[in-house]
Amino acid sequence: MVLVLAAGLSGCTSPTTSPTTTPANQQITIIDSTGKVITLPRAAERIIVTNSDCAEVLIALGAKDKIVGITNTVANTPLMAANLGNVTSVGVWDNPSIEDIIALKPDVVISYASWKPKNLKQFQAANITLVALDCYKMDNLTSDIRTMGVLVGEEKNASAYAGFIENYMNIVKDRTANLTESEKPTVYWEQNRTKITSAGMGSGGDTLIRMAGGNNIAGNETQQYPEVSAEWIVRSNPQVIVRNVGYVKSEDYMKGVIAMVENRTGMSQVRAVKDGRVYVMSTTVAFGPKGFMGLLYMAKILHPDRFADVDPQKALDAYAEKFVPGANKDIYIYPIP
């Protein structure tokens, strides 16, 4: 029997959130991902979002009509473009136009917490309220979602949305909790970069591997994205290889990526290549709001017996039906485990 979990409402709520809808004129207070306390006279009604993951969360919360401005990154994301339509662009995500932002009269601008805008001083000089939320790190994704719910006055929807994601995360957590170190397959994660780059300690790839019950061979590297060599990969002899890529339009492209990795000198002797356990995964499910699907797939890759009854695609179908229309239409992984 294939396990497809219904969207439950489990999970703890943050101190700033209750599963209700904030009255239109009630003051709200949130703590963003940088620890900054932000108080607004009411829930935000006019929002500029520079981060496509935060834009997806706003869509899922039923707040897309509150988005009055986006950046080029958001506009060029096919799923966001399909759901948001023709929304004014304020330029590039890390250096948006202050003049364009002021003209849109936003209540808040939502940016990444991990990367500050290059023109931060202009934001401060213009007295623009900047809210820093990532909405892509699996460790604090649902906390960010609940904070966003308070920000836009959609706590009830945020509770349902976060609970949906947490239910799937908990399936993986419960089934990998008692694994011994010897039961955790060794994994080489490769970033989508020109040079051969892996995922070091605390990076998104490292987190995904760890949560899915794997042992990241670059997990002790203090750099988040250390450059490595093909020789190092061969010496490490990982049992599984996952190459991370961006948006994918065809399986042929993914097959080409796998061939590129496997055809490096000496790679034919690596266990992952010998056993046919080389995968390509899109960044759009490896991290961000759809990261629960990447986690389910990673768990199936690493522990096929423990997750034989879990169908990530059906979980994503439910996500698209309940929260973000069209989220299940793209190609996210190859081959399908």
Side-chain angles (χ1 to χ4, degrees), residues 49 51-59 110-111 133-135 148 289:
V49 60
N51 172 345
S52 59
D53 291 318
C54 286
E56 183 167 344
V57 169
L58 288 168
I59 292 167
I110 301 174
S111 71
L133 292 171
D134 282 323
C135 293
M148 188 80 81

Side-chain angles (χ1 to χ4, degrees), residues 41 97 115 138 185 215 222 237 248 283 321:
S97 167
W115 299 280
M138 293 302 291
N215 185 354
T222 55
N237 198 22
V248 179
T283 187
E321 179 182 354

Side-chain angles (χ1 to χ4, degrees), residues 185-191 196-198 209 215 217 230 232-234 236-244 257-258 260-264 266-281 298 301-302 333-335:
T186 53
V187 183
Y188 166 61
W189 178 277
E190 185 166 294
Q191 292 294 117
I196 304 177
T197 308
S198 192
I209 293 167
N215 185 354
I217 63 171
W232 175 82
I233 301 168
V234 173
S236 300
N237 198 22
Q239 294 168 272
V240 175
I241 293 174
V242 180
R243 164 80 182 202
N244 182 226
V257 171
I258 289 175
M260 177 270 295
V261 172
E262 292 183 341
N263 289 337
R264 292 174 183 153
M267 291 294 288
S268 61
Q269 300 306 309
V270 173
R271 284 180 291 178
V273 176
K274 287 181 177 181
D275 296 340
R277 300 182 76 185
V278 180
Y279 296 87
V280 178
M281 182 183 293
M298 182 65 79
I301 288 168
L302 301 184
I333 191 165
Y334 185 85

Side-chain angles (χ1 to χ4, degrees), residues 22-243:
T22 301
N25 295 317
Q26 180 175 308
Q27 178 178 290
I28 65 161
T29 298
I30 65 167
I31 301 175
D32 75 6
S33 296
T34 66
K36 182 172 67 174
V37 178
I38 299 168
T39 299
L40 299 174
R42 62 187 181 280
E45 292 291 333
R46 295 182 62 81
I47 301 167
I48 293 174
V49 60
T50 69
N51 172 345
S52 59
D53 291 318
C54 286
E56 183 167 344
V57 169
L58 288 168
I59 292 167
L61 297 185
K64 71 176 184 179
D65 291 341
K66 297 183 179 184
I67 299 175
V68 298
I70 57 177
T71 57
N72 293 347
T73 303
V74 179
N76 294 332
T77 304
L79 181 61
M80 296 302 96
N83 277 278
L84 295 177
N86 188 23
V87 178
T88 301
S89 175
V90 297
V92 296
W93 69 271
D94 61 346
N95 195 18
S97 167
I98 293 295
E99 292 78 12
D100 290 344
I101 289 173
I102 292 172
L104 290 171
K105 300 179 180 179
D107 296 321
V108 297
V109 176
I110 301 174
S111 71
Y112 284 103
S114 300
W115 299 280
K116 295 180 180 179
K118 294 177 181 177
N119 54 348
L120 180 61
K121 290 183 179 179
Q122 290 181 313
F123 276 89
Q124 295 167 341
N127 199 29
I128 296 168
T129 301
L130 193 65
V131 177
L133 292 171
D134 282 323
C135 293
Y136 76 87
K137 296 181 177 180
M138 293 302 291
D139 282 341
N140 56 15
L141 172 60
T142 56
S143 174
D144 282 353
I145 288 171
R146 289 189 167 94
T147 299
M148 188 80 81
V150 177
L151 179 65
V152 300
E154 295 290 354
E155 293 96 323
K156 184 176 180 180
N157 287 345
S159 181
Y161 182 41
F164 176 94
I165 293 170
E166 286 168 341
N167 279 333
Y168 289 110
M169 293 174 66
N170 286 337
I171 289 174
V172 178
K173 181 180 179 180
D174 292 345
R175 297 189 187 187
T176 60
N178 297 320
L179 290 172
T180 64
E181 286 302 308
S182 63
E183 291 175 318
K184 297 178 181 179
T186 53
V187 183
Y188 166 61
W189 178 277
E190 185 166 294
Q191 292 294 117
N192 185 28
R193 301 191 178 186
T194 303
K195 295 181 178 180
I196 304 177
T197 308
S198 192
M201 186 185 303
S203 65
D206 179 59
T207 299
L208 194 66
I209 293 167
R210 171 174 47 81
M211 291 178 71
N215 185 354
N216 177 18
I217 63 171
N220 290 326
E221 296 290 333
T222 55
Q223 282 185 303
Q224 284 212 328
Y225 304 106
E227 290 183 19
V228 299
S229 65
E231 292 77 14
W232 175 82
I233 301 168
V234 173
R235 288 197 306 271
S236 300
N237 198 22
Q239 294 168 272
V240 175
I241 293 174
V242 180
R243 164 80 182 202

